[in-house]
């Protein structure tokens, strides 16, 4: 029995070395640019969030994001913990299992770890480099790949400040967002959106060596009135090199918040009840809209809004689907709203279930989005 366990462990280490940097891996150098088969291009799994900073029952100010199992196509599986002291710091300890490109039934466990801190300064700026955030390859040929650059966080993160924000927004310029829907340009207007800005953010390479280091620039805008995330026409750009080829991918589109209860079935056939969800309609390298077209959007109608956020057409390359939330506010702290009514500061617990699919995306593109979303998980879950 001892010998068998030793042999199994040795085999895992050898597989990890081969997958990450070994000779067998050299045959998969171009895998980064391989389009993921439609039946494999999924992001599925769960995260449980305990917002201790919002709870009267907890002495801790630290929110905890427990990643149970987040599967990324036939590429890798994430498990671990992200902890966060709001407006102060984030700490990462997330382990990667990786799938053998040459034998998808073979998985090397805990080959790499995303770890380190992301300090948040008084201006809401996230700095992964200052906290030495990195991906450490801990099995096989060990290596370290670091994050760099910064994220300028949202200006307002507490709902009880939103009324003041919207009041000032009524006196300021709106921002237009345009996209093609069924061959027609649809433009909507958002009052003073709050940007999440990527300032030459560097996503670390790894855990496979074919997943290149990537620079991210652009903004994700938050709409306080509807709770949605949008990109402007410049989108969010991911720039990386594969061999001697430099590639710049652009993500444009929206993530729409829908407050609607229901029940869904996950990738493993398990049913989950939910209280709300985010509807993803993110397109990859789509045809840009002529910037002048946005001048003629006029007042946004409900029909325009519905069309803009619709994901009825999922044939174009991109990321689609839903991320479901089952929220509870047991033991929540309360503050007064603008009418003097005391309300919960937000959920004290969220059970999150991912059900996203990629269409026409390659392994580098899907991995880039997942890495980015792990970094902005705090702003994405703020109320």
């Amino acid at each position: 029995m001892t010998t068998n366990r030793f042999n199994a462990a040795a085999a895992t280490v050898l597989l990890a070395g081969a997958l990450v940097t070994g000779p067998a891996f050299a045959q998969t150098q171009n895998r980064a640019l391989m389009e993921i088969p439609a039946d494999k291009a999924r992001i599925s799994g769960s995260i449980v969030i305990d917002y201790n900073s919002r709870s009267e029952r907890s002495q801790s100010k630290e929110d905890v994001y427990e990643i149970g199992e987040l599967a990324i196509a036939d590429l890798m599986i994430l498990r671990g913990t992200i902890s966060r002291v709001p407006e102060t710091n984030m700490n990462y300890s997330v382990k990667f299992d990786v799938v053998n490109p040459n034998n998808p039934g073979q998985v090397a466990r805990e080959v790499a770890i995303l770890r380190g801190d992301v300090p948040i300064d008084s201006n809401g700026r996230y700095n992964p480099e200052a906290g030495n955030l990195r991906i450490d390859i801990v099995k096989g040929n060990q290596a370290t790949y670091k994050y760099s650059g910064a994220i300028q966080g949202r200006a307002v993160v507490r709902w009880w400040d939103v009324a003041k924000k919207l009041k000032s927004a009524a006196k300021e310029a709106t921002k237009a967002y345009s996209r093609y829907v069924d061959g027609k340009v649809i433009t909507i207007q958002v009052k003073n959106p709050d940007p999440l800005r990527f300032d030459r953010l560097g996503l670390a390479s790894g855990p496979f060596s074919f997943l290149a280091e990537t620079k991210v620039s652009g903004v994700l805008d938050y709409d306080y009135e509807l709770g949605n995330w949008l990109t402007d026409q410049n989108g969010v750009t991911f720039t990386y090199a594969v061999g001697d080829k430099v590639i710049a991918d652009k993500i444009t589109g929206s993530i729409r918040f829908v407050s609607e209860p229901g029940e869904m079935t996950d990738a493993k056939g398990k049913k989950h009840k939910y209280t709300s969800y985010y509807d993803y309609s993110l397109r990859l390298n789509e045809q840009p809209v002529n910037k002048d077209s946005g001048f003629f959007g006029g007042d946004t109608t409900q029909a325009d809004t519905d069309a803009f956020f619709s994901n009825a057409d999922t044939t174009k390359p991109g990321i689609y689907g839903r991320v479901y939330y089952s929220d509870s506010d047991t033991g929540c702290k309360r503050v007064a709203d603008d009418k003097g009514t005391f309300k919960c500061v937000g959920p004290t617990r969220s059970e999150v279930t991912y059900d996203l699919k990629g269409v026409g995306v390659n392994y580098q593109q899907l991995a880039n989005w997942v890495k980015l979303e792990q970094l902005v998980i705090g702003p994405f879950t703020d109320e």
Side-chain angles (χ1 to χ4, degrees):
M1 291 295 289
T2 302
T3 301
N4 288 342
R5 286 198 300 271
F6 175 80
N7 288 340
T12 298
V13 171
L14 290 172
L15 168 60
L19 284 172
V20 177
T21 54
F25 179 79
Q27 301 173 16
T28 67
Q29 283 294 324
N30 291 327
R31 193 175 189 234
L33 303 183
M34 288 176 55
E35 184 174 322
I36 308 174
D39 63 329
K40 303 291 186 184
R42 309 194 76 86
I43 301 173
S44 60
S46 63
I47 300 177
V48 175
I49 310 171
D50 284 309
Y51 300 103
N52 295 313
S53 65
R54 303 174 183 174
S55 176
E56 293 282 8
R57 299 180 178 182
S58 175
Q59 298 300 312
S60 174
K61 295 182 179 180
E62 188 174 78
D63 300 332
V64 178
Y65 301 73
E66 191 70 37
I67 304 173
E69 181 176 291
L70 197 60
I72 317 303
D74 54 344
L75 185 67
M76 57 192 179
I77 301 166
L78 279 60
R79 296 184 179 87
T81 302
I82 302 170
S83 57
R84 177 186 185 224
V85 178
E87 303 177 58
T88 303
N89 186 71
M90 299 186 70
N91 175 268
Y92 289 78
S93 180
V94 180
K95 296 179 180 179
F96 294 83
D97 298 344
V98 294
V99 180
N100 190 338
N102 303 312
N103 180 8
Q106 191 176 24
V107 178
R109 305 292 182 187
E110 300 183 4
V111 164
I113 306 175
L114 168 63
R115 56 186 167 193
D117 292 312
V118 179
I120 307 168
D121 69 18
S122 58
N123 294 315
R125 190 174 178 84
Y126 293 65
N127 192 338
E129 191 170 2
N132 196 26
L133 186 69
R134 64 203 184 274
I135 294 177
D136 286 333
I137 311 301
V138 295
K139 291 186 178 178
N141 295 317
Q142 298 182 10
T144 293
Y145 304 105
K146 295 187 177 183
Y147 286 72
S148 60
I151 304 170
Q152 180 58 56
R154 287 165 45 191
V156 179
V157 296
R158 297 175 294 267
W159 66 258
W160 54 92
D161 290 329
V162 171
K164 181 169 60 178
K165 178 79 172 178
L166 291 177
K167 188 176 294 184
S168 66
K171 303 174 185 177
E172 298 173 11
T174 59
K175 186 172 180 178
Y177 300 83
S178 301
R179 70 188 309 184
Y180 282 105
V181 179
D182 295 330
K184 176 185 175 184
V185 176
I186 298 293
T187 300
I188 65 170
Q189 307 281 341
V190 174
K191 294 179 182 178
N192 202 25
D194 198 349
L196 190 62
R197 189 180 307 277
F198 306 110
D199 185 8
R200 294 293 295 170
L201 174 69
L203 303 178
S205 58
F208 288 97
S209 62
F210 64 73
L211 295 175
E213 179 184 11
T214 300
K215 295 294 184 182
V216 184
S217 58
V219 297
L220 273 172
D221 285 335
Y222 185 71
D223 172 8
Y224 284 101
E225 289 189 287
L226 299 177
N228 304 323
W229 291 92
L230 313 92
T231 69
D232 58 23
Q233 288 168 249
N234 295 319
V236 177
T237 300
F238 299 79
T239 305
Y240 53 94
V242 177
D244 58 359
K245 185 177 183 180
V246 177
I247 299 169
D249 291 322
K250 183 181 290 186
I251 289 280
T252 52
S254 62
I255 303 174
R256 186 181 195 178
F257 175 71
V258 180
S259 180
E260 176 182 278
E263 186 175 75
M264 60 83 66
T265 303
D266 67 18
K268 295 183 177 180
K270 184 178 179 181
K271 293 185 181 298
H272 301 265
K273 291 185 177 181
Y274 59 85
T275 54
S276 61
Y277 60 86
Y278 283 96
D279 204 357
Y280 282 55
S281 181
L282 298 172
R283 292 180 183 167
L284 183 69
N285 300 324
E286 73 172 332
Q287 176 187 358
V289 173
N290 185 307
K291 292 185 178 180
D292 294 342
S293 299
F295 296 154
F296 309 104
D299 294 331
T300 300
T301 67
Q302 186 59 47
D304 285 339
T305 299
D306 291 341
F308 184 92
F309 289 104
S310 171
N311 63 359
D313 181 5
T314 59
T315 61
K316 296 179 175 65
I319 299 173
Y320 305 95
R322 295 175 176 178
V323 176
Y324 296 91
Y325 280 69
S326 178
D327 293 334
S328 58
D329 57 10
T330 304
C332 66
K333 295 177 181 177
R334 296 176 182 271
V335 296
D337 64 12
D338 56 341
K339 296 180 180 179
T341 303
F342 279 84
K343 295 182 178 179
C344 282
V345 298
T348 53
R349 184 178 176 88
S350 293
E351 296 178 6
V352 185
T353 305
Y354 280 75
D355 186 19
L356 299 176
K357 67 174 182 177
V359 174
V361 300
N362 61 42
Y363 288 99
Q364 179 76 42
Q365 292 163 342
L366 194 63
N368 279 343
W369 179 258
V370 170
K371 288 178 182 178
L372 181 66
E373 204 170 295
Q374 293 297 296
L375 285 185
V376 298
I377 194 169
F380 264 29
T381 55
D382 278 329
E383 291 299 302

